Amino acid sequence: MTGDRDGNVVSDITPDGITVVRVHGDLDDDSTPALTRALTVAAESGSSRTVVDLSEVAFSDSSALHALLTAHRAHTATGTLLVLAGPLQSAVARLFEVTRTKAAFHWADSAQQGMTC
């Protein structure tokens, strides 16, 4: 894979043409713009799938959720599958539970599984 780093977000394209976006640390107002940029590029890339690896995210707020929901719409519009991958830290899982948005996304237990589910 070749990777592009933007803050705590690293984007890679696998040899199969799958975009993998790996996020580390916290997702908040300061770091979410990097996620938004990566997901916008992924939606416009023409790949068949984007996997967002959230397993290393310790905290996430509503700005990150907004970015993921916006990316979901953009990916749907281009016919690209968007898969969120865990396992999720408890604070991140709680965001999806409290907002009742978990069902809006395709999920995988790991980034590796997300590439084939």
Side-chain angles (χ1 to χ4, degrees):
M1 287 193 234
T2 60
D4 293 321
R5 178 176 281 283
D6 185 355
N8 63 340
V9 177
V10 178
S11 298
D12 295 307
I13 300 175
T14 69
D16 296 332
I18 297 170
T19 301
V20 179
V21 178
R22 298 183 193 282
V23 188
H24 306 278
D26 293 344
L27 274 175
D28 54 23
D29 282 339
D30 294 329
S31 57
T32 295
L35 176 63
T36 299
R37 286 188 293 272
L39 293 174
T40 299
V41 169
E44 296 171 352
S45 73
S47 68
S48 62
R49 169 184 312 242
T50 299
V51 178
V52 183
D53 182 355
L54 298 172
S55 64
E56 297 295 322
V57 175
F59 170 81
S60 182
D61 69 10
S62 61
S63 64
L65 180 59
H66 182 308
L68 291 168
L69 289 167
T70 300
H72 184 306
R73 285 190 294 276
H75 278 73
T76 299
T78 61
T80 304
L81 179 62
L82 178 67
V83 179
L84 304 187
L88 300 179
Q89 304 290 328
S90 61
V92 178
R94 182 140 173 77
L95 175 67
F96 290 100
E97 291 165 10
V98 168
T99 59
R100 297 184 178 172
T101 54
K102 187 171 184 176
F105 298 98
H106 287 87
W107 288 91
D109 291 335
S110 68
Q112 187 65 36
Q113 183 188 52
M115 293 183 218
T116 59
C117 67

